[in-house]
Structure formats: C-alpha cells, structure tokens
Amino acid sequence: MTQPRRRSTLKIVLIILAIVIVVCCGGGAAGFYFLFTGVTKAPKAATSAFLDELEAGNYTAAYNRLCADTKSEFEQPTFEEKIKARQPKSHDLDWGGSYDNTNGRETAAITGNVTFTDGSSDNERFQLRKEGGDWKVCGNPLTLR
C-alpha cells in the first residue's frame, strides 16, 4: 500500500513544479513585454507627435522634430514641398518598435501605417535618434526623395 502513496506524492510534486514553471515563464514574458514597451514609449510618442504636426499642416513644428543630419539633407522649404505633395491624414503606430543604446548613442525604430489625403496608405518605418535629450526623426521620413 505504500507504493500508491509514493505515486500520489510524485504526482503532486510534478503538478506543483509545472505550475511554478508556468508562473515563472509567464512572469518573465510579461516583464519582457513591459520593459520592451517602456523603452520604446518615448520614441513612439515622438513619432506620433511628428505625424500629428504633419497632419495638422504645422510643417515648422514637424521640421523641428527632425534630427540634425536629416535637416542638413532637406531645407525647410524643400521638406514642406515634399510633404504637401503627399500630405499625411492619419496614422496608426504599431505596439512595439526597436531600441538600441550603443556607446551611449540611443536610437529607435517605430513602424506604423500612415494614410494620406489622396486615400493611399503605406506602412512606414521611422528611424529616431536621441539628440539633446529629445527623440528626433531621422533618415528619410515618409520617403521624401
């Protein structure tokens, strides 16, 4: 009769072990999710603010959200002309993004769908860099070339 009791104890131990593993994996995944979305929260907000300015026709404010390298490629009148040719109307950014901090240089990439006034829409990838404490849009936003 002692044999069935051993099996019962082993079964209980295995069930408890399985529960502990599930809780640990779930907690780790949730922690990773919150950590990951936390580091992309500010770059995502900067991207959304940039697109909000473009959608409102506030080109000067949007231009000021560009990083120094991109401003050197596009003077403000050229930037405005290219944006007006394909004016964003609305946007929906994806939940995540990517973040990197290499040697103190913080960069991020945020993707989302941008709808234009002509009815077309594109999935865009925005490159950002932290400059002077602020996240700035870099690269070629909305394919300006």
Side-chain angles (χ1 to χ4, degrees):
M1 288 217 186
T2 57
Q3 196 69 1
R5 185 167 174 87
R6 260 188 164 161
R7 283 186 182 177
S8 176
T9 304
L10 180 62
K11 193 183 280 186
I12 291 171
V13 169
L14 289 176
I15 290 171
I16 291 172
L17 183 61
I19 291 170
V20 168
I21 289 172
V22 167
V23 167
C24 288
C25 289
F32 177 76
Y33 171 79
F34 287 113
L35 175 68
F36 183 73
T37 57
V39 297
T40 59
K41 186 176 182 179
K44 185 176 179 180
T47 304
S48 188
F50 172 74
L51 290 168
D52 287 342
E53 300 290 3
L54 293 178
E55 292 161 10
N58 192 350
Y59 307 115
T60 301
Y63 187 79
N64 289 331
R65 294 183 184 276
L66 297 176
C67 70
D69 291 345
T70 300
K71 283 183 179 179
S72 70
E73 288 183 44
F74 301 103
E75 292 184 6
Q76 188 169 344
T78 304
F79 172 77
E80 288 182 22
E81 176 186 317
K82 292 190 178 281
I83 292 297
K84 286 177 183 176
R86 193 159 186 234
Q87 178 75 34
K89 180 174 72 172
S90 65
H91 64 277
D92 181 29
L93 300 179
D94 296 341
W95 69 270
S98 65
Y99 170 83
D100 184 55
N101 185 349
T102 303
N103 297 324
R105 184 178 179 194
E106 294 180 88
T107 59
I110 303 296
T111 58
N113 192 30
V114 178
T115 302
F116 300 91
T117 54
D118 66 4
S120 65
S121 65
D122 285 327
N123 194 31
E124 301 281 346
R125 182 174 174 89
F126 297 90
Q127 301 294 328
L128 293 98
R129 180 174 44 221
K130 202 165 195 182
E131 290 182 351
D134 295 323
W135 284 98
K136 302 287 186 167
V137 176
C138 296
N140 191 5
L142 301 174
T143 316
L144 297 176
R145 292 195 170 98

